[in-house]
Amino acid sequence: MKTYSDISLTELSAIVEQPDFVLVDVRDEWEYDEFNIGGLNIPLPDIRARKAELLPYKTLIIVCTNGVRSRVAAKDLCRQPEFQDKIVYHLHGGLIEAE
């Protein structure tokens, strides 16, 4: 089964320099509005309903506040047939490291 890779904030900085990636923030909208590092805001409960928005990208980077919700989202996406050829990263420790 496909798996995701944990990355640090330092590794995230290197990946965002590459083309064809999307940063997916799975926090609630109010959390995203309060503080974010860019990307698409798709709250965790909506991730399956909105997965078509992610299909154009080869690399997905999933983030949240402390890494709990983003890990759930990364695992779920890895189970989806249409994401088997994607590279999925999970920001270990979450955005609290970035604030």
Side-chain angles (χ1 to χ4, degrees), residues 22 24 40 42 46-57 60 76-77 79-83 86:
V22 63
V24 185
L40 281 177
I42 303 180
D46 303 335
I47 199 85
R48 282 193 175 198
R50 295 179 58 187
K51 66 184 177 184
E53 295 174 48
L54 307 176
L55 292 176
Y57 303 96
L60 312 173
D76 188 55
L77 290 172
R79 290 187 190 116
Q80 306 293 318
E82 53 272 65
F83 290 94
K86 308 289 185 194

Side-chain angles (χ1 to χ4, degrees), residues 4-98:
Y4 61 88
S5 302
D6 280 336
I7 57 168
S8 66
L9 269 174
T10 309
E11 292 167 306
L12 171 69
S13 304
I15 294 167
V16 298
E17 300 298 318
Q18 299 170 10
D20 204 21
F21 83 94
V22 63
L23 182 74
V24 185
D25 190 323
V26 296
R27 298 175 301 151
D28 292 333
E29 285 179 33
W30 69 268
E31 293 173 282
Y32 182 81
D33 291 344
E34 207 170 78
F35 169 80
N36 69 74
I37 57 170
L40 281 177
N41 179 214
I42 303 180
L44 180 58
D46 303 335
I47 199 85
R48 282 193 175 198
R50 295 179 58 187
K51 66 184 177 184
E53 295 174 48
L54 307 176
L55 292 176
Y57 303 96
K58 174 143 185 56
T59 304
L60 312 173
I61 306 167
I62 319 295
V63 303
C64 72
T65 303
N66 59 15
V68 175
R69 286 174 284 181
S70 54
R71 183 176 287 115
V72 171
K75 281 183 180 175
D76 188 55
L77 290 172
C78 286
R79 290 187 190 116
Q80 306 293 318
E82 53 272 65
F83 290 94
Q84 294 309 300
D85 63 337
K86 308 289 185 194
I87 300 167
V88 180
Y89 292 112
H90 161 259
L91 180 61
H92 184 76
L95 295 173
I96 50 174
E97 308 283 325

